[in-house]
Amino acid sequence: MLRLTKTCACALLAVLALLSVPARAANNDPVVLVHGVLGFGPQSHPLGSFLYWGGYGNIAAHMAVYHGPHVIFTAQVGAIASNWDRAAELYAQIKGGCVDYGARHVARYGYPGQPQKPPGKCWAADPANNTEQYPLAFYPQWDAAHPIHLIGHSQGGTTIRALIQLLEHGSPDGDEGGGDLYKGGKVGWVKSVVTISAPHDGTTLSDAVLDVLPNLRSPLRDILDNQLAHWELAPDGAREFNRWALTSPSVYYFSLGTLATEAGAWCCNGTDRALAPVQSAEFQYPRADMIPYFKLFAGEWIVGSLAQPGMGSYTQNAPGRVRIDSAWFPNDGVVNTVSMRAPGGHPVRDYDGKAVRGMWNFLGNYRGYDHFDILNWPNDGPSADPVYERISDIIFGLD
């Protein structure tokens, strides 16, 4: 009973916020935050008080009051799953209903034993008709007349792109067993997308850790070795994904990059000199304030390996594969910065204060922010609050 009361109270606050549109805002549509690989929801981290979006702070709460009130929801989807499966979970969580991965999709791409409709992954659209006591859906009225903003970090950005493709065009294989998401035709349901440090063209982290060092065992390798997400996160898989997940003419797209490496120098470039005392100007090296674990892979060499290239120097030009050259060297410890701008082959422009629909409006690279500084995780480095304030100003100013 207490759980239901708290849920209803949150729903009431959301309605009140939607009715209290600030005079300066052109819209006050709800925002949904979507996490990346290994992400977690606001109540699922083992430390309890630690948030994906904010660490020991709270980015969602900050956005809710900044020039607000605004309604900010924090989603929880598969920590290690394909963009399609995560999109299906995101749809049910926002709109209501039970997750449906699609009959044909599961038969063709699902992992062994994967159910089409997993038990327990349901959200109630109507609190008055919720005999199973499911958690309430974020925004059951979601449709073209009631659009939303979506903000994704890392794989959250590509998950959002998969969701929009399914909303507008449905499944490429036709009937997926009746799931409403796969019927398509839902144009205008998403007003804007913001991707933060997203691997639109993949990340060479997967190549450096898996392909170059097939026998290296580490927690990161164990994560990447899971085939549910690995293919789409690698450059070759991302190229295939980009051919399917189109840029919609009806959506405002924004992207921003993070950069936590520096070109090599003989001294004084802010990098971790203990890891790389001798540097080449050709390659990239992790900044001293990068989260320590990711320094192992971000620089010229993978630390602890026998002269194996890290993200800061890794190249390959094998026939039929995505060519990796020096443009890929700068990174944030997890994703190559060049990959964060926009999906390869999709329309993109530098944001000049005026947003254009149907193409990527690039907000620039944030130097000194590693992959998790941008989430305000505890670490030496700048605060990410101004980034989310800038995002808020942009998206709530859209007509």
Side-chain angles (χ1 to χ4, degrees), residues 284-309:
Q284 291 277 315
Y285 300 86
R287 290 175 54 88
D289 56 6
M290 180 184 285
I291 289 179
Y293 182 71
F294 295 102
K295 293 180 185 179
L296 303 178
F297 311 99
E300 180 182 1
W301 307 109
I302 295 177
V303 177
S305 71
L306 298 176
Q308 298 289 355

Side-chain angles (χ1 to χ4, degrees), residues 147 188 190-192 247-254 347 349 354-361 398-399:
V190 176
K191 175 161 287 183
S192 79
T247 295
S248 169
S250 68
V251 177
Y252 290 103
Y253 292 88
F254 303 92
R349 62 189 290 272
K354 180 179 180 181
V356 177
R357 272 195 182 98
M359 67 169 50
W360 289 85
N361 299 269
L398 299 172
D399 294 326

Side-chain angles (χ1 to χ4, degrees), residues 272-362:
D272 190 330
R273 309 301 298 200
L275 288 180
V278 179
Q279 301 181 1
S280 166
E282 297 180 46
F283 305 125
Q284 291 277 315
Y285 300 86
R287 290 175 54 88
D289 56 6
M290 180 184 285
I291 289 179
Y293 182 71
F294 295 102
K295 293 180 185 179
L296 303 178
F297 311 99
E300 180 182 1
W301 307 109
I302 295 177
V303 177
S305 71
L306 298 176
Q308 298 289 355
M311 294 177 68
S313 71
Y314 175 80
T315 62
Q316 73 83 25
N317 195 25
R321 298 192 62 191
V322 172
R323 182 174 183 268
I324 306 298
D325 58 20
S326 60
W328 289 74
F329 293 170
N331 65 85
D332 69 355
V334 177
V335 177
N336 310 81
T337 303
V338 71
S339 181
M340 304 173 189
R341 178 178 169 88
H346 292 224
V348 59
R349 62 189 290 272
D350 291 333
Y351 180 68
D352 59 2
K354 180 179 180 181
V356 177
R357 272 195 182 98
M359 67 169 50
W360 289 85
N361 299 269
F362 180 56

Side-chain angles (χ1 to χ4, degrees), residues 152-175:
H153 172 253
S154 194
Q155 194 193 0
T158 52
T159 296
I160 289 168
R161 291 174 48 211
L163 175 62
I164 293 173
Q165 181 67 21
L166 291 170
L167 286 171
E168 297 194 356
H169 302 280
S171 169
D173 294 325
D175 180 39

